[in-house]
Amino acid sequence: MGRNGKEKKGKKGGGVPNRELYERMSFLYQSAQMLADTTKDGLLPLSRFYTKEMRQVARKSVLRLSPHVKRGL
């Protein structure tokens, strides 16, 4: 039992807020990196688009990009 006879219910661990947004940004980053590493020039604009989308998601939802990701862009 916790304080004043109240028990904590349900929540185990904190979890990550905005998990879906972080997953989307991770997917966009990985896709952009994979397309940028290919040798075909036709895929470079798609890589830039994914990078732009990732930055817009971060900006719109007020999430911070890690320095490692910023350096890779």
Side-chain angles (χ1 to χ4, degrees), residues 21-73:
L21 294 173
Y22 279 110
E23 288 175 355
R24 181 176 179 199
M25 288 173 39
S26 175
F27 171 78
L28 291 170
Y29 175 73
Q30 291 174 13
S31 300
Q33 289 298 315
M34 184 197 71
L35 292 172
D37 291 340
T38 58
T39 57
K40 297 180 181 177
D41 292 330
L43 297 177
L44 193 57
L46 186 58
S47 174
R48 289 179 183 159
F49 174 76
Y50 285 158
T51 302
K52 182 180 174 185
E53 284 293 311
M54 182 188 63
R55 286 184 178 174
Q56 287 178 350
V57 168
R59 188 179 304 129
K60 187 172 183 179
S61 58
V62 192
L63 298 175
R64 289 183 173 254
L65 296 173
S66 71
H68 172 72
V69 173
K70 286 182 184 178
R71 288 186 201 111
L73 300 177

